[in-house]
Amino acid sequence: MKTPVPCHVVEKEARRLLKERGVDVEDIAKVVYQMQIKYNPGLDMSDCFESADAVLCKREIQHAILVGVELDKLAEQKKLSEPLQSLIESDEGLFGVDETVALGSVFGFGSIAVTTFGYLDKEKIGIIKELDTKGEKIHTFLDDLVASIAASAAARLAHRLRDREENRRYEEIKEREDEDLIG
C-alpha cells in the first residue's frame, strides 16, 4: 500500500503554486469583498481574507489547484498532445474542462457558491480578469480556480455572517467551520 501524501505538503504546494502564478490570498479577498459588500455594508476586509484563506485549507481546492496549474504550465511549455495543447493554449470557448474542475470544488459551499462562481466566470473581476487577460502566461485553469476559491469564500462568509447575526455561540460557529474544512 502506498503512503498518502500528508495534507500539509499538499496545502503548502497549492499555496506556493498560487503565489508562483501571481495570486495572493489578498487578491482573492478583494474579489470576495466586492461580491459581499452590497449584502453586508459593515464588512471588514479581514473577514474576506480569513474566509479565502480557510477555503484554501480544503483538500478538494488544493487538488484542483495542483492539477489545473500543472496543465497550464505544461501548455506554456508546449508539452501537451494535440489537440489538447491547442485547446488549453487558446482557452477555447467550448472547452469546459477548466470550468468543470473549478466548479467541482464549489459544491461544498452550497448554491450561493455555485451561482457566484457562474457570475465570476462570466464577469471576471479583479485578479480573475488579470489572469484571463495575461498574454505571456497561460491561465486557462487558474482563472477559473481563483473564481471558485473566491465564490466559495464569499458563500462561506455569507453563512458565517448570518450565524453571527443570529447570535450563534462561538463554539457552534467554530464547529461548523471545522466541518467545512473536511474534504
Side-chain angles (χ1 to χ4, degrees), residues 75-94:
E76 285 174 3
Q77 299 165 20
K78 302 199 181 298
K79 290 188 175 179
L80 298 172
S81 302
E82 287 296 346
L84 183 60
Q85 175 66 41
S86 294
L87 291 168
I88 294 175
E89 192 172 1
S90 67
D91 199 0
E92 166 66 43
L94 295 177

Side-chain angles (χ1 to χ4, degrees), residues 1-182:
M1 186 159 106
K2 293 185 179 183
T3 305
V5 179
C7 298
H8 72 278
V9 171
V10 176
E11 180 179 349
K12 183 177 179 182
E13 181 60 9
R15 289 174 181 272
R16 188 193 71 74
L17 285 171
L18 286 176
K19 195 165 270 308
E20 173 187 283
R21 303 297 283 184
V23 179
D24 291 317
V25 179
E26 294 88 5
D27 299 324
I28 300 169
K30 289 176 186 174
V31 174
V32 173
Y33 184 84
Q34 193 170 343
M35 296 306 300
Q36 285 296 305
I37 190 65
K38 58 188 153 214
Y39 306 108
N40 298 289
L43 184 63
D44 188 76
M45 184 60 93
S46 64
D47 288 326
C48 299
F49 181 91
E50 187 273 330
S51 194
D53 192 61
V55 167
L56 286 170
C57 293
K58 288 189 65 73
R59 284 186 200 101
E60 286 183 33
I61 273 287
Q62 296 162 8
H63 295 165
I65 291 167
L66 295 180
V67 170
V69 171
E70 186 72 13
L71 286 168
D72 284 345
K73 289 167 72 172
L74 288 171
E76 285 174 3
Q77 299 165 20
K78 302 199 181 298
K79 290 188 175 179
L80 298 172
S81 302
E82 287 296 346
L84 183 60
Q85 175 66 41
S86 294
L87 291 168
I88 294 175
E89 192 172 1
S90 67
D91 199 0
E92 166 66 43
L94 295 177
F95 179 77
V97 177
D98 47 338
E99 283 89 1
T100 302
V101 169
L103 183 59
S105 62
V106 301
F107 286 126
F109 290 95
S111 59
I112 295 171
V114 174
T115 56
T116 302
F117 172 74
Y119 175 82
L120 290 172
D121 181 46
K122 201 74 170 155
E123 294 301 316
K124 302 205 185 295
I125 62 174
I127 185 67
I128 302 162
K129 184 176 186 84
E130 289 176 36
L131 292 168
D132 188 54
T133 57
K134 274 194 177 167
E136 74 278 356
K137 288 195 174 186
I138 295 173
H139 297 300
T140 299
F141 284 85
L142 186 58
D143 67 326
D144 295 312
L145 290 167
V146 170
S148 75
I149 297 165
S152 297
R156 180 185 178 279
L157 182 59
H159 287 289
R160 296 310 170 269
L161 292 173
R162 175 62 60 90
D163 286 343
R164 289 181 198 161
E165 286 173 6
E166 293 178 1
N167 293 318
R168 292 190 183 257
R169 293 184 348 267
Y170 172 79
E171 294 80 20
E172 187 178 2
I173 294 171
K174 181 69 175 137
E175 183 178 320
R176 288 172 159 218
E177 287 175 353
D178 290 344
E179 287 176 9
D180 282 349
L181 294 178
I182 297 172

